[in-house]
Amino acid sequence: MRLRTRLRAHSALWAAPLAVALTLLVHHTVSAEPAAASYGYAPTLVAGPLSPMYAFAYALTAALGAWEGNRLSRVPVWRLTPNRSRPRIALDGLWPAVLLGWLMLTLPVLIALVQQGVAPTAASLRPLAVGLLVCAAYAVIGFAVGLRLPDVIAAPVLAVVVFLLVATAVALQVNWWRHLVGRYPYIPEFGEVAGWSSMAAHALPTCAFALAIALLWLPVRRLPPRLGPALRVGLVAAVAAAGLGGAYALVKDWGADPPVAHVDIPVRCAGQDPRVCMPEVTADALPDVRAQVVGTLGKLDRAGVDHGATAVHDSLGRGDGTKVSGSRWELPLTDAERRGDLGYQVVRAAVRFPCAEPDPMSRRLALGWAADRADQSESFARVLAEDPHLDSARREEVAGSLGTVLGQSAEDQKRWYRTTLTQACTVGGGDR
Amino acid sequence: MTLVLSACGHAHGGVPVLRDFHYELPDGLTLLLGPEGAGKSTLLGIAASELTPDSGTVALDGEPAGSHSYRRAVGWMPDGVMPMTGLTAREFVAYVGWLKGMRRGKAWQAAGRALERVRLTEYAGSRTSRLAPDGLALLGSATGLVHGARVLLLDEPTAGLHLHHREVFQDVLRELVDEGDLRVLLATADPATLPALATDGAADTVDTVTVLDTDQDESAPLYSGTAEDFLSRAPEGTARGRAPAAALAAVLGSGRGSGRDSERGSERGSERGDAGPDGVQGSGADGAEGTAR
């Protein structure tokens, strides 16, 4: 069939406006937030917009597959003794449906990448690639169903069933199920990419089922007439069971989130003592960040806080937390700079106690004093106000104690700071 | 050389429909008559390679049934086939050409020519769903012509058509046969399918009439002969318009008579090469060109 004819006469043509409108609507209402918090990281930008689209794309592709399968079976094409193979004829009838499903998956990803001005990486496209594969598998499944059932029944029923199957998987308490339905249930954070095992787990069951159901209608001429049906059913069951079983074996011990792989993130660094490094994608802020870090450390130096930092790395993509290991610090530089509390994060890293679990109240006092000396008292006040362990009386107690200390001479304050660090580890744990 | 079924056997659900069946498709337009259940559709299905015989061989000019070249050379319009919805007449014919292995562009061009041959050019751009029943019958013929078939197999193509439409259809078929190297086998249970059979011009339209009966034990058609010979089987005094049905009844009645089995040997003999100079098997009892077992 000519390309123009195929497109004009295909059910995908009248479904296309609905599919595109639905895709844009879902992307606009659901996917905007992950894109904004992506740091321009391609795996996040790809997986985020994909997440709500899987179920829609699979449902539509399966329904269109059923519609086209029934259209061919009503002729019926197979009785016309075609010289083309059945897979070739099916492909000719299915490719517009598959393309439309692919468009529903690709369009939001493309929009997100263009909006953020980010080029995709090969690893970032893994969830999309699996989505495209599963989409094609659902078209085959729909086609096979359409060969047997009327289109007005097969298409809507398949659309609803497939949508519910895929969309509700992440809402169920059954962890293994959510890893098998073709909907990657996790949005990789900075430095993470979807693992191959989870990709295989999502692709295997649907693709195996599609292959199995295709075997039901593919002509196999050489099977013995009597054994043929039994062999065919056995083969079909074996293929489907192998796909599902193999995927289950992969995921049975997984939690709600699949295991992810980590990638090396290119970084850019500036200066010495301290040398400040940030990921390349957020390194535009590096000069300002380093200036704030150096400025804060200088103030702490002058106040008598012994920090010893020679290298400060952004912890973005490395767990996002604060980790101090001797003179090498990992701080959430990108996030803190965007929140406006970078100086306070430097203070938190600089105030170190000789024990792992210092007395909380002593810690608050030491942090509060250091924050004040580094001109970060506003940030400290915000943290204090949000501290769930403190009532208003305790907050006033902290503020009063700090006021008393800050009223002392500079030398007395240094002495008080050093004593507080030591005493915090001797008065015992627990929140006073 | 023609389409030949040799020693073919076929059963539906364990019930034999054809057994050790021999048949050679004659030149020109052949009308395959017989009651329901006689095996006409099975014969056509095997000849079209839609069905694989349980035994025996099928070949066209030496090409075995089922091969690509065989399927390209045999046009097949089964009973109950409907054009694909949403396509125009030309698009559907071109699609069948593509199914038969033609390239898309060539199929599109050939579809235009095929529609012209069956007088459907003015409907080439019409949706198939808007074609009248006679148009659909002609469209079915076009699907057989688009890929350059040398044999056209039609199963009940005029079922439900009015007389005028059947006349147009038979005229088109006759033209197609007269144009060149095309043999047509048209199966129907209704001897009035081709109106010309009930007129003096029967011999100009139908070259051969072949009759199958419901007896599965037979290894050859019950009857095969010219249209004139077939019509001569009608009882004397039968009105011309009723002659086809009366002749069919007579052939079926005589075939079910006591002398049938004894005549089978001579029938096989004719298939082995004892046919007359015009290729028609044997000779009727009244001297006309035709044979009945």
Side-chain angles (χ1 to χ4, degrees), chain B residues 82-129:
Chain B
M82 296 296 294
M84 189 180 289
T85 53
L87 299 187
T88 66
R90 185 171 182 178
E91 286 168 347
F92 179 65
V93 174
Y95 179 60
V96 175
W98 177 83
L99 287 174
K100 287 290 188 175
M102 299 177 77
R103 292 180 179 277
R104 295 177 199 276
K106 286 190 174 177
W108 179 252
Q109 297 302 324
R113 290 192 296 274
L115 289 171
E116 188 180 349
R117 290 178 71 186
V118 300
R119 304 182 192 171
L120 276 182
T121 298
E122 63 179 303
Y123 298 102
S126 301
R127 297 282 176 93
T128 54
S129 56

Side-chain angles (χ1 to χ4, degrees), chain A residues 139-191:
Chain A
V140 172
I141 292 169
F143 186 84
V145 173
L147 290 177
R148 301 282 179 186
L149 294 177
D151 47 15
V152 291
I153 295 173
V157 168
L158 260 183
V160 171
V161 168
V162 171
F163 181 84
L164 291 177
L165 201 70
V166 178
T168 61
V170 290
L172 300 177
Q173 297 298 314
V174 187
N175 282 336
W176 63 267
W177 178 242
R178 63 166 52 202
H179 299 301
L180 303 184
V181 295
R183 178 188 181 183
Y184 188 60
Y186 179 75
I187 298 176
E189 295 182 355
F190 200 84

Side-chain angles (χ1 to χ4, degrees), chain A residues 285-296:
Chain A
L286 182 57
D288 184 48
V289 166
R290 185 170 187 279
Q292 287 190 59
V293 170
V294 170
T296 304

Side-chain angles (χ1 to χ4, degrees), chain A residues 44 51 138 146 154 178 182 221 269 272 282 289 330 332 371 383 409 427:
Chain A
T44 307
S51 186
Y138 270 115
R178 63 166 52 202
R221 296 176 186 278
C269 299
Q272 291 292 337
T282 61
V289 166
E330 280 187 8
V383 172
S409 67
V427 295

